[in-house]
């Protein structure tokens, strides 16, 4: 579940949006993303320019959660999708289960040049967002909370609080509140994280379940501080809400591109995947929506002005303040056990 899912258009087939005529193109792929404003932004920034440069047709589909369809399509032996933009954990889990193609990075030089932490044998990071500590500037006009330890400190920072009803990022925040350094989080000490969460649980007014809900809580002043996705906070701030956030101890998360096992247009899909993480295309994405480029070289192109770069979660200085989520750990048996344990934690 990611923030873009809230933009989802359901499973509506978008078709070829403003792209070259399929009848005139020798090559084509079917690209799947999560719909809404996010998919519209990437169409302008990345998909249309890539199609034009490569001389291919990019057919588009949209689905809030691609994982069940990936399993069904590959399981049938006749997948109809080629490239999927999906939470990185899906790419890793899919690779382990034989649902994704193993990538040959000699054919993906743009991906090979990215930091190793931003790619896997089955995926390459496509865009970044962050789970951050956000707060009301009315409640905290000065001396605002600036760390998860502050969020847990109900005496120094009294007020209504909200957290996401999901273990992703929430366990990481709990451990940082307990003194674990952002670069020492993994493997997560799950017992320690849940013990710390028990401390704050009585003070949580709302456990939100969607990005839209978290934004509403901030916009309506229903909480004084909460964990939220940076783009959601920025959006309500632009609408006039007196809210802000800090990237300090944010949890940097990504979606990635991966290719379905047995994709009908594998060679073209590989070419597209390389083009999609081209630094210039990547630099165009944050000009259209509040997400950071997956390729850090985008910040070296000059396309993103300094004042805009400073707002983005994957800008190097901002990224350095945060913890990079380990999707490899969350895809492990320990991570899956932590997800299951979350349900019992919430029911107590």
């Amino acid at each position: 579940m990611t923030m873009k899912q809230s933009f989802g258009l359901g499973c509506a087939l978008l078709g070829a949006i403003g792209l070259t005529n399929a009848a005139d193109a020798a090559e084509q792929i079917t690209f799947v993303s999560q719909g809404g404003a996010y998919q519209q932004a990437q169409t302008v920034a990345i998909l249309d320019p890539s199609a034009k440069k490569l001389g291919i047709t990019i057919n588009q589909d949209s689905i809030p959660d691609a994982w069940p369809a990936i399993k069904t399509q590959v399981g049938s032996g006749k997948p109809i999708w080629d490239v999927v933009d999906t939470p990185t954990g899906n790419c890793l889990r899919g690779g382990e289960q034989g649902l994704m193609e193993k990538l040959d990075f000699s054919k993906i030089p743009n991906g090979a040049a990215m930091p190793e932490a931003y790619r896997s044998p089955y995926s390459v990071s496509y865009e970044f967002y962050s789970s951050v500590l956000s707060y009301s500037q009315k409640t905290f006009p000065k001396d605002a909370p600036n760390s998860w330890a502050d969020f847990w400190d109900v005496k120094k920072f009294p007020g209504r609080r909200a957290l996401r009803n999901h273990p992703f990022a929430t366990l990481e925040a709990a451990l940082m509140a307990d003194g674990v350094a952002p670069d020492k989080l993994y493997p997560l000490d799950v017992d320690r994280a849940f013990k710390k969460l028990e401390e704050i649980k009585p003070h949580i007014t709302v456990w939100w379940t969607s990005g839209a809900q978290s934004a509403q809580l901030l916009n309506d002043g229903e909480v004084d501080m909460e964990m939220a996705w940076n783009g959601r906070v920025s959006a309500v701030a632009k609408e006039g809400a007196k809210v802000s956030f800090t990237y300090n101890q944010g949890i940097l998360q990504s979606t990635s591109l991966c290719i379905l096992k047995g994709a009908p247009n594998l060679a073209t899909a590989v070419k597209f995947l390389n083009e999609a993480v081209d630094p210039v295309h990547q630099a165009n994405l944050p000009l259209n929506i509040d997400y950071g480029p997956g390729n850090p070289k985008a910040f070296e192109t000059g396309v993103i002005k300094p004042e805009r770069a400073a707002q983005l979660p994957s800008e190097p200085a901002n990224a350095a303040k945060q913890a990079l989520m380990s999707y490899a750990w969350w895809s492990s048996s320990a991570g899956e056990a932590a997800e299951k344990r979350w349900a019992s934690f919430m029911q107590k």
Side-chain angles (χ1 to χ4, degrees), residues 292-347:
N295 189 341
K297 289 188 177 296
F299 292 104
E300 301 172 10
T301 62
V303 174
I304 310 173
K305 301 304 180 188
E307 57 271 21
R308 179 58 174 153
Q311 300 170 343
L312 301 173
S314 57
E315 189 272 335
N318 288 335
K321 301 175 184 175
Q322 302 178 72
L324 180 63
M325 177 170 281
S326 173
Y327 290 97
W329 186 85
W330 278 108
S331 298
S332 70
S333 56
E336 291 177 355
E339 279 198 69
K340 292 178 181 176
R341 183 170 170 177
W342 182 264
S344 60
F345 167 76
M346 291 302 297
Q347 290 170 358

Side-chain angles (χ1 to χ4, degrees), residues 27-152:
E27 299 178 69
Q28 63 178 323
I29 62 165
T30 297
F31 173 85
V32 183
S33 189
Q34 298 150 43
Y38 172 59
Q39 192 156 346
Q40 292 169 19
Q42 62 180 301
T43 297
V44 174
I46 296 174
L47 302 182
D48 282 355
S50 295
K52 183 176 181 180
K53 184 175 177 180
L54 297 174
I56 65 173
T57 295
I58 301 177
N59 304 300
Q60 295 190 48
D61 202 350
S62 171
I63 189 169
D65 181 5
W67 179 245
I70 290 169
K71 291 193 292 185
T72 300
Q73 285 194 26
V74 178
S76 74
K78 294 181 179 179
I80 58 176
W81 293 343
D82 294 292
V83 180
V84 181
D85 169 11
T86 189
T88 302
N90 285 347
C91 294
L92 271 61
R93 187 167 43 162
E96 293 167 357
Q97 297 181 15
L99 302 175
M100 300 298 180
E101 291 283 348
K102 194 169 186 177
L103 301 179
D104 179 355
F105 278 95
S106 70
K107 298 178 180 177
I108 311 171
N110 286 327
M114 290 166 62
E116 287 188 12
Y118 287 14
R119 50 190 165 88
S120 80
Y122 302 98
S123 65
V124 61
S125 292
Y126 187 49
E127 58 81 31
F128 279 103
Y129 60 99
S130 185
S131 294
V132 296
L133 169 54
S134 60
Y135 55 88
S136 165
Q137 292 176 309
K138 292 181 178 177
T139 307
F140 305 106
K142 57 181 181 180
D143 298 328
N146 190 47
S147 69
W148 293 113
D150 289 348
F151 186 90
W152 257 252

Side-chain angles (χ1 to χ4, degrees), residues 226-243:
E226 68 170 342
M227 171 182 282
W229 292 313
N230 68 285
R232 291 290 185 174
V233 186
S234 298
V236 295
K238 289 176 183 174
E239 294 172 358
K242 299 297 182 184
V243 298

Side-chain angles (χ1 to χ4, degrees), residues 235-304:
V236 295
K238 289 176 183 174
E239 294 172 358
K242 299 297 182 184
V243 298
S244 188
F245 69 90
T246 176
Y247 277 124
N248 187 45
Q249 296 189 340
I251 298 94
L252 193 59
Q253 296 160 256
S254 65
T255 68
S256 287
L257 299 182
C258 46
I259 300 174
L260 269 64
K261 188 75 173 181
N265 305 287
L266 178 58
T268 308
V270 171
K271 287 195 289 187
F272 165 74
L273 197 150
N274 180 63
E275 193 64 31
V277 293
D278 170 84
V280 174
H281 295 331
Q282 286 272 300
N284 284 327
L285 184 63
L287 305 187
N288 294 277
I289 199 165
D290 286 335
Y291 298 131
N295 189 341
K297 289 188 177 296
F299 292 104
E300 301 172 10
T301 62
V303 174
I304 310 173

